[in-house]
């Protein structure tokens, strides 16, 4: 009944609304959409869009509840029978079809993002062109990748050989940083909103001086270890009030950090702009924002230095390019967020290849030993970079046996 409702809604409200432009031959039409969830360090939600001739485009949606239902119950009836080459028109059609049900932000935009990426991959395969070519061509041969050295279990496992550790010691951070830099990464990032071993009420968003001193010593240890060889960034995950964020950033001034990420909650651009005015560190935010509309005030207010849209969340490849273009007019640089599988990562690489204002993209799966095995062929990440592939679409072929092996049940 739910599917009937969705199909009827799509048929009655949107099929007539968007009459596709006519062309002599627009090739095979969209036949089906599906999702498969891979059990990585996050539930990586792979999206497939299949054309009538059997060609399959792959995308990835940010891990979120409800994505499968939105794609199969709502977007499938909207897209089946359409030409996959009209990616931008179909993006607008999907957005219109979910209007009033979350297509401006949140899980609706996330589902649309996953499908959009799959449509670009499918269009590229049907036209035998890489996605970057369809977007205007590439500006670089390779994209720099930074390593998220996730504090907590992952860092403890790699640095302390599986020992349980609840207190995050500066020397453990330094060891984890050295391991990542020795693996070829020129930028490493650490979570800094971690326990110091003292019991405090974190809900207040307030850190007292000993907590701030613990964070300062963590950064000092990492910089002493790798500061001459690499850049170091820290992530605060929106956990602090502006007063604590200011004191913490001041304690880190002079350390030479590449950036401080999400020091305060993400909603209030005025508060972020005021923090930027008060502290002498480079600030980054953006992973919790959607579409160019969600980035506009952040960009126009010049509230941070670096922007971190997440391609499988913010609207997909073309929408993130539009965010980048808007940011370019304020001389702002993108460092896209990415916690995904190789599919999300290569979607971000394709986007990154086409914009001038890209510095690096995130890699968040150092603890997942089979991340590279999901793709047929050589490892994607070599010496802290990913080469922009010239193969059609996203430029990768998934190893479906490995995907199925790790499918979340
Ligand atoms: Mg982050």
């Amino acid at each position: 009944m739910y599917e009937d409702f969705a199909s009827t809604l799509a048929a009655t409200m949107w099929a007539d609304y968007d009459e596709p432009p006519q062309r002599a031959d627009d090739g095979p039409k969209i036949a089906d959409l599906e999702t498969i969830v891979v059990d990585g360090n996050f539930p990586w939600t792979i999206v497939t869009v299949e054309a009538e001739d059997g060609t399959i485009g792959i995308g990835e949606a940010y891990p979120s509840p409800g994505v499968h239902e939105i794609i199969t119950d709502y977007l499938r009836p909207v897209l089946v029978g359409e030409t996959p080459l009209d990616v931008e028109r179909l993006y607008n059609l999907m957005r219109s079809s979910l209007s009033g049900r979350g297509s401006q932000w949140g899980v609706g935009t996330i589902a649309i993002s996953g499908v959009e990426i799959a449509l670009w991959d499918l269009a590229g395969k049907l036209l035998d062109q890489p996605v970057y070519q369809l977007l205007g061509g590439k500006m670089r041969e390779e994209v720099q990748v930074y390593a998220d050295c996730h504090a907590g279990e992952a860092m403890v496992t790699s640095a302390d050989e599986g020992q349980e550790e609840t207190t995050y010691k500066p020397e453990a951070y330094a060891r984890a940083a050295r391991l990542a830099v020795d693996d070829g990464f020129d930028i490493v990032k650490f979570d800094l909103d971690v326990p110091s071993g003292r019991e405090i009420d974190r809900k207040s968003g307030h850190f007292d001086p000993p907590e701030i001193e613990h964070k300062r010593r963590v950064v000092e240890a990492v910089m002493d270890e790798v500061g001459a060889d690499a850049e170091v960034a820290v992530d605060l995950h929106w956990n602090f009030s502006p007063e604590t964020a200011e004191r913490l950033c001041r304690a880190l001034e002079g350390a030479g950090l590449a950036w401080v990420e999400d020091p305060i909650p993400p909603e209030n651009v005025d508060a972020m702009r005021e923090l930027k005015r008060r502290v002498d560190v480079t600030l980054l935010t953006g992973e919790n924002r959607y579409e160019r509309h969600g980035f506009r005030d952040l960009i126009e207010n010049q509230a941070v230095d670096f922007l971190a849209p997440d391609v499988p969340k913010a609207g997909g490849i073309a929408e993130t390019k539009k965010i980048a273009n808007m940011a370019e007019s304020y001389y702002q640089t993108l460092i896209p967020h990415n916690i995904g599988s190789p599919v999300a990562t290569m979607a971000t690489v394709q986007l990154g290849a086409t914009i001038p204002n890209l510095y690096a993209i995130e890699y968040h799966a150092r603890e997942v030993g089979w991340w590279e095995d999901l793709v047929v062929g050589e490892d994607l990440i070599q010496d802290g970079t990913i080469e922009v592939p010239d193969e059609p679409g996203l430029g990768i072929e998934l190893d479906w046996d490995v995907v199925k092996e790790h499918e979340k049940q």
Side-chain angles (χ1 to χ4, degrees):
M1 181 180 172
Y2 181 76
E3 285 195 33
D4 288 347
F5 168 70
S7 301
T8 304
L9 199 68
T12 56
M13 292 184 71
W14 306 111
D16 296 337
Y17 164 84
D18 192 83
E19 192 64 33
Q22 300 299 307
R23 58 166 71 81
D25 178 16
D26 51 12
K29 304 293 196 293
I30 294 171
D32 199 12
L33 285 78
E34 258 306 339
T35 69
I36 179 170
V37 177
V38 176
D39 196 11
N41 53 352
F42 295 91
W44 296 325
T45 306
I46 308 299
V47 180
T48 58
V49 178
E50 184 172 359
E52 289 169 333
D53 69 348
T55 309
I56 292 176
I58 53 170
E60 183 170 343
Y62 192 86
S64 308
V67 165
H68 171 78
E69 287 76 11
I70 293 171
I71 289 176
T72 56
D73 294 350
Y74 271 91
L75 298 181
R76 180 193 277 148
V78 171
L79 293 187
V80 166
E82 292 278 357
T83 171
L85 303 182
D86 291 345
V87 181
E88 297 248 27
R89 184 176 68 79
L90 297 184
Y91 180 85
N92 279 294
L93 182 61
M94 288 191 283
R95 201 166 179 271
S96 300
S97 73
L98 286 179
S99 177
R101 290 181 295 280
S103 64
Q104 283 79 39
W105 50 76
V107 68
T109 306
I110 288 170
I112 291 171
S113 303
V115 175
E116 194 259 16
I117 294 167
L119 287 172
W120 280 116
D121 186 50
L122 181 54
K125 286 170 174 167
L126 291 172
L127 297 169
D128 198 27
Q129 293 289 334
V131 172
Y132 72 72
Q133 198 65 62
L134 304 183
L135 294 172
K138 62 181 172 183
M139 297 199 179
R140 49 181 63 84
E141 297 291 341
E142 59 184 28
V143 167
Q144 183 169 209
V145 178
Y146 81 80
D148 183 283
C149 306
H150 204 56
E153 192 177 291
M155 190 184 82
V156 171
T157 300
S158 60
D160 297 332
E161 297 172 354
Q163 292 175 28
E164 286 295 320
E165 184 72 84
T166 55
T167 300
Y168 297 91
K169 296 188 174 68
E171 51 271 30
Y173 275 82
R175 283 199 299 275
R178 175 48 63 192
L179 288 171
V181 172
D182 286 351
D183 282 346
F185 292 99
D186 292 325
I187 310 171
V188 294
K189 187 178 87 180
F190 289 91
D191 296 345
L192 206 55
D193 53 329
V194 294
S196 67
R198 299 171 66 252
E199 293 292 329
I200 63 167
D201 178 6
R202 289 173 167 264
K203 293 186 290 297
S204 68
H206 176 80
F207 263 180
D208 63 6
E211 281 285 343
I212 292 195
E213 175 60 13
H214 171 251
K215 311 314 172 213
R216 190 198 65 75
R217 286 192 289 110
V218 165
V219 168
E220 182 179 63
V222 172
M223 295 303 293
D224 284 350
E225 178 64 37
V226 301
D229 306 322
E231 286 192 278
V232 178
V234 296
D235 195 342
L236 299 173
H237 297 110
W238 323 279
N239 275 316
F240 302 105
S241 63
E243 59 81 20
T244 286
E246 181 177 345
R247 288 187 295 115
L248 185 49
C249 287
R250 288 236 168 104
L252 303 177
E253 286 176 355
L257 287 172
W259 70 85
V260 175
E261 182 165 328
D262 290 321
I264 61 174
E267 301 91 350
N268 190 325
V269 169
D270 292 339
M272 185 65 91
R273 185 185 55 198
E274 179 64 14
L275 179 66
K276 183 173 184 292
R277 196 181 67 79
R278 286 168 175 259
V279 299
D280 187 19
V281 298
T282 304
L283 296 178
L284 174 148
T285 195
E287 68 183 73
N288 272 353
R289 285 180 175 257
Y290 298 86
E291 298 193 312
R292 77 203 91 142
H293 309 289
F295 278 84
R296 183 172 62 86
D297 58 350
L298 193 60
I299 292 169
E300 289 180 349
N301 281 286
Q302 301 177 70
V304 291
D305 304 282
F306 291 135
L307 298 167
D310 186 296
V311 174
K313 176 195 275 191
I317 295 172
E319 187 65 23
T320 308
K321 179 163 183 170
K322 290 165 188 170
I323 293 166
N325 296 154
M326 188 157 56
E328 191 184 350
S329 66
Y330 288 86
Y331 316 126
Q332 293 167 341
T333 298
L334 265 63
I335 303 181
H337 182 250
N338 170 43
I339 59 166
S341 83
V343 179
T345 303
M346 295 312 288
T348 312
V349 165
Q350 292 288 340
L351 170 273
T354 69
I355 58 172
N357 49 335
L358 178 99
Y359 185 47
I361 71 171
E362 182 170 7
Y363 170 59
H364 203 292
R366 272 172 57 74
E367 71 267 37
V368 183
W370 44 270
W371 189 89
E372 294 277 6
D373 299 338
L374 289 166
V375 174
V376 174
E378 291 185 359
D379 285 357
L380 297 172
I381 301 175
Q382 306 274 356
D383 204 24
T385 63
I386 296 179
E387 191 176 313
V388 180
D390 289 326
E391 285 73 31
L394 296 180
I396 54 169
E397 184 186 338
L398 284 181
D399 186 328
W400 286 102
D401 290 337
V402 179
V403 171
K404 295 285 184 187
E405 184 185 334
H406 295 284
E407 181 177 2
K408 193 174 180 66
Q409 301 300 326

